[in-house]
Amino acid sequence: MSKRLEGRTALVTGGDSGIGAAITRELASQGADVAINWHSDNGPAQELGEEISRGGVRAFGVGGDVSKEEDATRMVEETVARFGRIDILISNAGIQIDAPALEMTADEWRKVLDVNLTGQFLVARAAARHFIEQGVGEGRRSAGVIVCMSSVHDVVPWAGHANYAAAKGGVDMMIKTLAQELAKHRIRVVGIAPGAIKTDINKEVWGDEEKADELRELIPYGRIGEVDDVAGPVSWLCSDEADYVTGTTLYVDGGMTLYPGFIGNG
Ligand code: BGC
């Protein structure tokens, strides 16, 4: 069976951990070369790069903070310099700094907006510029694909996480607007909105039996998600099989956005 991303090159921001690392592995297993962005420690990206290289693709780690304009631009440029082109951007890097709104500091608000919204814009802009320059390559249907990491909290309000929910709500309109603006260049911009997926970001919840049970109540499908639940759909979204999909977000949430409180109620 041919691999759906054979010969494609990708940059995955925050590609060294959590959902990002699962996406890195999945893209590589589908034949893509992957630049793995890391933020504070190059070790995990290096190890992951060595692991996926054994499968026959090219990989390297690229340090940088997506919220800094020069870093965002440089990580895209390094990808192009190493691989010759960039076909796919997975704009995945994100953080949570939780606090009740009444206690949230301006810094906590700004930091999350900077990484989760402005950072996504900066990397997307840098990638889109390269996509336009390279055009639709031989054997390809688009000039490039941008997949933005959203969340169920782009539509589900989340008390105690005003900064995070505001950023993800912003990501939704950014995706739609960029998709509208860039379609003429044959660039697709799509979102992926995970629900509760077991990673370090929410370990405090799924790692505690009682809290995990309460969380499962919010998921009609009855289980907390795994990183691979997200990685497979992302690799499809990046592929030419999804060439007519743009400006929309795919929810990968076990039904979390289906108002589970209404089950047997109302
Ligand atoms: C958050 C997780 C949370 C999930 C569902 C994600 O966007 O990062 O911490 O478990 O949404 O609430």
Side-chain angles (χ1 to χ4, degrees):
M1 213 177 89
S2 79
K3 297 179 175 176
R4 60 159 74 108
L5 300 176
E6 199 79 65
R8 307 291 159 108
T9 72
L11 165 64
V12 184
T13 68
D16 60 340
S17 72
I19 293 175
I23 294 172
T24 296
R25 287 195 176 90
E26 171 64 21
L27 300 187
S29 80
Q30 293 296 337
D33 298 323
V34 190
I36 307 165
N37 161 247
W38 53 271
H39 178 244
S40 21
D41 171 11
N42 71 349
Q46 180 140 356
E47 261 174 49
L48 183 53
E50 282 161 17
E51 177 197 316
I52 65 175
S53 304
R54 288 195 284 277
V57 300
R58 293 177 291 172
F60 72 99
V62 53
D65 176 344
V66 293
S67 69
K68 297 199 173 115
E69 191 167 11
E70 61 280 12
D71 287 16
T73 307
R74 180 181 41 79
M75 57 184 88
V76 171
E77 278 168 0
E78 277 190 36
T79 306
V80 176
R82 294 283 286 261
F83 296 152
R85 57 181 293 122
I86 179 168
D87 300 295
I88 297 163
L89 167 66
I90 310 293
S91 179
N92 161 78
I95 56 169
Q96 271 183 233
I97 307 175
D98 307 329
L102 300 182
E103 284 149 38
M104 188 176 284
T105 64
D107 265 3
E108 290 167 339
W109 171 270
R110 277 199 201 99
K111 182 85 197 143
V112 170
L113 269 290
D114 275 0
V115 175
N116 294 8
L117 181 56
T118 307
Q120 291 224 29
F121 172 72
L122 293 174
V123 190
R125 188 188 62 181
R129 287 175 176 161
H130 277 282
F131 292 160
I132 291 169
E133 217 171 278
Q134 72 196 12
V136 181
E138 177 81 32
R140 290 166 166 77
R141 302 193 73 186
S142 71
V145 184
I146 297 169
V147 179
C148 296
M149 189 55 62
S150 188
S151 163
V152 290
H153 300 297
D154 70 342
V155 289
V156 179
W158 201 16
H161 308 76
N163 48 5
Y164 186 88
K168 295 300 184 182
V171 165
D172 182 49
M173 282 311 286
M174 186 191 77
I175 289 165
K176 290 176 179 159
T177 305
L178 291 183
Q180 191 192 55
E181 194 168 330
L182 298 174
K184 64 171 182 284
H185 299 290
R186 298 273 296 277
I187 295 170
R188 293 193 294 116
V189 187
V190 291
I192 187 101
I197 307 294
K198 285 186 199 163
T199 68
D200 284 349
I201 215 169
N202 53 4
K203 194 168 182 184
E204 187 210 318
V205 180
W206 58 262
D208 174 298
E209 258 323 297
E210 209 171 303
K211 287 185 186 165
D213 281 344
E214 278 169 27
L215 177 58
R216 270 187 285 271
E217 294 285 304
L218 297 177
I219 308 169
Y221 211 62
R223 69 173 174 85
I224 301 172
E226 305 288 342
V227 288
D228 288 338
D229 287 319
V230 181
V234 167
S235 97
W236 174 77
L237 277 173
C238 296
S239 75
D240 282 348
E241 290 165 47
D243 189 56
Y244 212 49
V245 181
T246 193
T248 193
T249 292
L250 178 63
Y251 289 80
V252 183
D253 67 351
M256 202 176 215
T257 38
L258 301 176
Y259 296 96
F262 276 80
I263 297 172
N265 200 338

